[in-house]
Amino acid sequence: MKKYNQEIMKLARILSICLVFVIGSSCEDYLERTPDSVVSEDIAFLNFENFQGFTEELYQCIPNFTTTYWTSSWNWGEDEMVSAAGNFHVTFAFDRGNFWFWQAEQSGHGGRSSWLDKTMTSTGTNPHDKGMWPLAWYGIRKANLGLANLDRMTEATNEERALIEGQLLFFRGWFHFMLIQYVGGLPYIDRVLPGDQVLREPRLSYHESAEKVAADLRKAADLLPINWDNTVAGRRTAGRNDLRINKIMALGYLGKNLLFAGSPLMNLESTGSRTYNADYCRRSAEAFGELLSLVEGGQTQYALMPFENWNTNFYTLGQNWALSGGTEGIFRSLYWSGDQSNFGITKQYFPSIIVDGDATKFVPTANYVNQNFGMANGHRLPENISNADAESGYDPEYPFKGRDPRFYSSIVYDGVQVVQGSMPPNQEDNRHANLFTGGSYRGEVSGSPTGFLNRKFVPLRANAYDNAFAFGAALHLNVPYMRLADIYLMYAEAALMGTNSVTGKSSNFDKTAVDAVNTIRARAGMPNVLNKFLTSTNDFLEEVKRERAVELAFERHRFSDLRRWLQLIERPYTLKTSLEFNRDPNSNLGGDPAEMRVLNLREEVLLERPLAERHYWLPLKVSDVTLYPEFKQNPGW
C-alpha cells in the first residue's frame, strides 16, 4: 500500500499516540517525538491527504497471522497438529487444554508466538510485533479519535469525507468483532475515553456487542465505494488500492458478524438457547446477498479464481513477491517485506529431511482429512476408513484414489513426488513422500506424526533440492482473512438456518443455500450436493459444514467454526489421529500415487484434547479483569 509522505505519517503517529489503551496498556512503545514534530489538530484533520495520513496507521494494526513469527500457528481446531519441536506454539498448548496460552504473558518464545497477543506491540513494519488484542484496542481508540474530529475536515469534498468516515467506522466495528468472537461480549467503545477517569465500562452480551458492530459496518458499507480506483480521491493511488477498505469488505464482515451472532454458541451466551437464532441468520443472509448480487452482477473487482489457480489464493511464486489472493481475496493484511514468509513459514509444512530451517512442522490430522475430504462423486468416506464402501466406491487398499480434487491440491499423501529436480544419489529415496508407517517423512519431532502434509500453502518445489525458498524464486505466502468462497458458504449457512429450508435464500440474491454451495463445488470440478443430503435442514447443514472444512481447510476458520457450532468439546472433534498403513512392496513408485496399493490401513489416536464447557471462550487476562468489577472473567476461568 502506498505510504503518504513522512510528515503525514509522523502526524498520524503523534495524534493517535498519547492514548491510554482501553484495557490496561500504555503508549510508551509508540511515543517517539521531538518538539518540532507537533502539529495542531486543525491542520492534522484539515483535508483528505492529512486525514488519510492519520487513518493509514489503522492498516498497520491488522496482524498478519501468517507471518506472526518465524514459524506460525493459527489453526487451533482438530484440523492440524504441530510436531513436538513446536511445543512453544498455541496449537500445542491448546491441544492440552491450556487456553491461557493465547496471551503473551503465557505463550512461548518471550510472548511472541501468538498472533492474538504480543508482549512487544507496535504499528511498525515487523509482523512479529503485532498482536490482535493490544492493537485492536489501540485501533479502536484511534478510530474514535478520528470520528470525533470529522468536523475539522473543512477542506474536503463529500466523497473524501465519506471515505474517511467509512474507513474509521469499519475499523471500529472490525476490531470489536475480532475480539468478541474469541472472548465473548465486551464493552463497545464508541467514543474517546478520557484518560483521567476510572473505567466503568461493563461487558455487554454477545448480541449487544454484535448489534453495535453491525451498526458501524452497515454505515461503513453505505459510505464506502466498491473500488477506490473509481473515485476521484482514489485515482491518486490507482492500481494500489487493493487493500483499502471498501464496500465489499464492510458487507462481508457485516454478514459474518451477524452469522456469528446467530450461531448456537453466541445465541447461548445471549439468550440461553443452544440453537441458531433465525433472525440473525436472515439478516446475515441479506448482507451476504447484497454483496453477492454485486459480485455476480459484474459490479465489483472480485470473482472466484479458476481452480487451476486456486492455490494462488494463498501463495505466489515467481511473481516478484506479489500479494496472493488474486480476484478472490477480499480482506488481507499488509505485508512489509517480500521474503518475510520465506525464512521459516514456508518450510514448516514439509519434513526436515527435505527442507532446512526450523524443526517445527504443522500437518493435517488424519481425522480431519478422512472425515471431510470425500470422494470425487460427492460421497463421504465411511466412518471406519478400514472398510470398503460400495456406494462411494471407496477402497481401503486404494484410499487416495478418486478423491475430491481439493484433496490433491491441499494434501501431500504417500507416494507423491515432492522433489522434482536432481538430488544426490544417497538422498534419492526421499524424492517421494514416504508417509507410510515408519517412512522417512514421518516423525514426531520434525516430520509428520499424522501421515499427511499440507501442500495448500506451498508448492511441491518448496524443498531443499528444487529450492523454491531461494530469494530469486520469490515464494510468498499470505493467507487472507476473508475470501469470496467463504462468503458463498457463509451465505448458504445463513440462508439455510434463517429460513429452515435447503432452498432458502435472501430477498436480494437469486441463489438458494444449495445453489451457493454448488457454486463452490463446481469451481473445484465437484458434482452438486447429492440428493440424500438434501432431505432435511440438519442433513444439509452437515454438508455445509463439511464443505467449509474442505474449501477453507487450514485457513484459520475451523477453531471459530467448531466453537460457534458448539462442537469443539464433543467427540470426534476432540481427537487427533494418524493414518497408519504399509506400502505394498509391489507398488509402482513414480507412477500415479493415487493408484498405489496400501495394506493394513487404520487410524490411531494420537491425543484427545481435554476440553470442557469453559473452553468455548478464551480466558481474559487477569490483569484486565481485575481493573474494575464490571469487566468480568469468562465462566470457568
Side-chain angles (χ1 to χ4, degrees), residues 13 86 96 105 118 140 163 192 209 272 316 358 364 373 394 422 434 442 455 627:
R13 226 169 246 281
R96 287 144 184 85
E105 298 89 337
K118 297 285 182 178
I140 290 166
L163 288 172
V192 179
S209 300
T316 58
D358 198 290
F373 286 87
Y394 171 80
S422 62
N434 297 316
R442 296 292 290 266
R455 70 177 289 182
L627 285 174

Side-chain angles (χ1 to χ4, degrees), residues 177 278 352 354:
F177 170 70
S352 292
I354 58 165

Side-chain angles (χ1 to χ4, degrees), residues 224-351:
L224 290 166
I226 293 174
N227 190 337
W228 277 59
D229 283 1
N230 297 330
T231 65
V232 174
R235 290 190 195 113
R236 304 173 197 174
T237 50
R240 292 168 289 179
N241 291 317
D242 288 353
L243 301 185
R244 296 195 191 278
I245 305 304
N246 61 37
K247 184 183 192 74
I248 302 304
M249 297 175 190
L251 286 174
Y253 275 103
L254 173 61
K256 184 171 184 175
N257 168 62
L258 292 169
L259 176 60
F260 273 51
S263 296
L265 173 64
M266 290 69 177
N267 198 38
L268 173 65
E269 188 257 31
S270 298
T271 71
S273 172
R274 302 177 74 91
T275 62
Y276 276 90
N277 185 299
D279 180 60
Y280 274 110
C281 290
R282 283 191 292 270
R283 291 167 61 191
S284 171
E286 291 295 312
F288 289 135
E290 182 180 348
L291 186 162
L292 290 170
S293 292
L294 292 170
V295 169
E296 295 201 354
Q299 299 178 60
T300 77
Q301 61 271 39
Y302 299 108
L304 292 174
M305 299 279 283
F307 190 62
E308 58 267 26
N309 298 327
W310 184 67
N311 290 91
T312 60
N313 275 305
F314 320 110
Y315 70 84
T316 58
L317 180 66
Q319 298 181 42
N320 196 29
W321 311 105
L323 186 63
S324 56
T327 60
E328 192 166 333
I330 292 177
F331 189 79
R332 295 164 288 180
S333 168
L334 305 180
Y335 72 96
W336 296 271
S337 173
D339 63 340
Q340 279 173 341
S341 66
N342 215 33
F343 182 80
I345 296 168
T346 52
K347 300 178 183 181
Q348 70 185 29
Y349 296 114
F350 289 175

Side-chain angles (χ1 to χ4, degrees), residues 159 161-163 165-166 169 218-225 247:
E159 175 193 81
R161 292 189 185 91
L163 288 172
E165 185 178 5
L169 287 168
R218 178 68 262 179
K219 188 172 182 181
D222 293 339
L223 289 166
L224 290 166
K247 184 183 192 74

